[in-house]
Amino acid sequence: MENIRIARWKNDARAAVSLYYDDGTDSVFEMVVPSLLRRRIPGTFYLCAGWYEGDQAPRLARWSICREHPEIVLGNHTWGHGGVQDAADLASQLRRNAEALRAVTGLPPGALVSFGIPGAVPWKVTPAEQDACLAAAGVVLRHAFPAENAGGPPGLHADVKMHRFEDAERALDRAEASGDREALLFHGVGGDWIAFPAAEHEKILAEIDRRRAEGRLWPGAEIALHKYETERDAARLRALPAPGGALAAAELAFGTDPARYDEPLTLVAAVPPERDSVVLEASGAAPRRVPAVDGRAMFDLPPRPVNLILR
């Protein structure tokens, strides 16, 4: 509809980016986590809980910081990063890892979690077997890199080709030019393995922060981007006759399961340029005033069927 639209990305950003940190390295926990919290930029940390048994258990327990800080999101990276021999092996590793991660995060069994295929290991399942195992485990394959093969054996890690700030900057430029999304993958930062320079990583976060402040980029956790895309593509917005004096009215419908898909969608409304705010009336909620800037009012709604009126 002309007066109201669903934003392609949250906050009507031009593009989106997600940050991946594989393997839960010590350098990432000690150096990256504080930087993300300081800038309030989300990151997804793909952990193999099987690495943290016995006297290593405290190194897994420290990731419970995610319960208090939504910027820190945990992903499933299989139980032990040793590859899989068949579908039964994959199913078992996903289940064991999911159970351990739920104990850390407090997430309920039905919550969707992002999944990253571990690199440089045997992956002896077909794409159909992989899809069935992921669906049964409630995990979602993360957005692929050019160097990854989501339907078969993992290839060269994308971060092997990313050595400095300019490499990440080009990825962000691509996202903005296409209106699409990119992902930046790291293992160690300033230490551990496949180490990315800590100073260059800080420059990347500063650049993401700048583009976000300018309304150009949405940095989101990988599972949030997946939910938003899925909801956006399944949503239907239909114009309704506007009551007397109202600017617009619409019906918003969804084709997603609200128990699993709960990321708010951003809607954008065209309003008279002289208006500095509008009143949003959404069924089931109290009216609220929404700021308007340069003829545009922007607001988030949960992904639930709703009728709305703008006055």
Side-chain angles (χ1 to χ4, degrees):
M1 60 179 300
E2 293 184 1
N3 288 354
I4 306 175
R5 61 179 172 86
I6 300 170
R8 180 166 177 77
W9 299 111
K10 188 176 288 293
N11 301 324
D12 205 24
R14 297 179 196 169
V17 67
S18 50
L19 302 177
Y20 302 165
Y21 300 91
D22 280 8
D23 305 341
T25 63
D26 289 340
S27 63
V28 159
F29 187 85
E30 293 161 4
M31 301 179 65
V32 172
V33 166
S35 293
L36 294 178
L37 294 181
R38 184 171 64 253
R39 295 185 183 276
R40 302 187 71 180
I41 294 175
T44 305
F45 300 83
Y46 293 90
L47 305 187
C48 302
W51 288 2
Y52 302 105
E53 294 185 290
D55 60 359
Q56 295 298 310
R59 294 177 64 239
L60 177 61
R62 66 184 178 176
W63 286 100
S64 62
I65 188 175
C66 67
R67 295 188 180 214
E68 287 76 43
H69 298 285
E71 296 86 358
I72 309 305
V73 180
L74 303 190
N76 196 320
H77 206 40
T78 72
W79 174 253
H81 206 296
V84 297
Q85 297 302 314
D86 52 34
D89 187 15
L90 175 57
S92 174
Q93 291 209 45
L94 290 174
R95 176 186 54 76
R96 293 179 72 192
N97 209 41
E99 289 173 354
L101 293 181
R102 278 200 299 270
V104 174
T105 63
L107 290 174
L112 289 178
V113 173
S114 181
F115 171 69
I117 300 174
V121 295
W123 200 254
K124 299 180 181 180
V125 290
T126 67
E129 289 172 333
Q130 176 179 291
D131 290 348
C133 288
L134 267 58
V139 295
V140 179
L141 191 65
R142 69 187 179 188
H143 184 68
F145 301 91
E148 287 183 332
N149 181 350
L156 179 69
H157 273 309
D159 55 349
V160 172
K161 296 184 176 181
M162 192 171 70
H163 303 287
R164 54 185 183 163
F165 165 76
E166 287 78 10
D167 298 328
E169 186 180 37
R170 283 193 293 272
L172 300 181
D173 289 342
R174 282 197 305 270
E176 285 197 44
S178 65
D180 208 341
R181 56 173 296 190
E182 285 280 345
L184 305 180
L185 170 65
F186 306 90
H187 284 70
V189 174
D192 297 311
W193 50 92
I194 319 182
F196 189 85
E200 295 290 281
H201 183 270
E202 281 298 311
K203 288 173 64 178
I204 293 170
L205 295 187
E207 179 66 12
I208 289 173
D209 205 2
R210 181 179 71 84
R211 296 188 189 210
R212 175 177 60 182
E214 293 174 355
R216 298 160 54 188
L217 187 68
W218 173 35
E222 170 60 19
I223 198 64
L225 266 64
H226 165 76
K227 290 179 180 181
Y228 191 98
E229 279 188 295
T230 304
E231 294 162 3
R232 178 198 70 200
D233 294 346
R236 296 294 179 266
L237 190 61
R238 183 173 68 91
L240 297 175
L247 297 173
E251 176 188 66
L252 183 60
F254 288 89
T256 47
D257 178 1
R260 288 194 160 188
Y261 288 87
D262 54 3
E263 184 68 25
L265 279 186
T266 297
L267 276 72
V268 184
V271 302
E274 67 273 11
R275 297 284 295 270
D276 61 7
S277 67
V278 295
V279 174
L280 169 65
E281 298 176 3
S283 54
R288 58 184 166 114
R289 188 165 293 277
V290 176
V293 179
D294 296 330
R296 184 183 71 160
M298 187 165 57
F299 50 92
D300 285 351
L301 288 176
R304 305 286 189 273
V306 65
N307 287 358
L308 58 96
I309 300 172
L310 290 178
R311 298 185 184 277

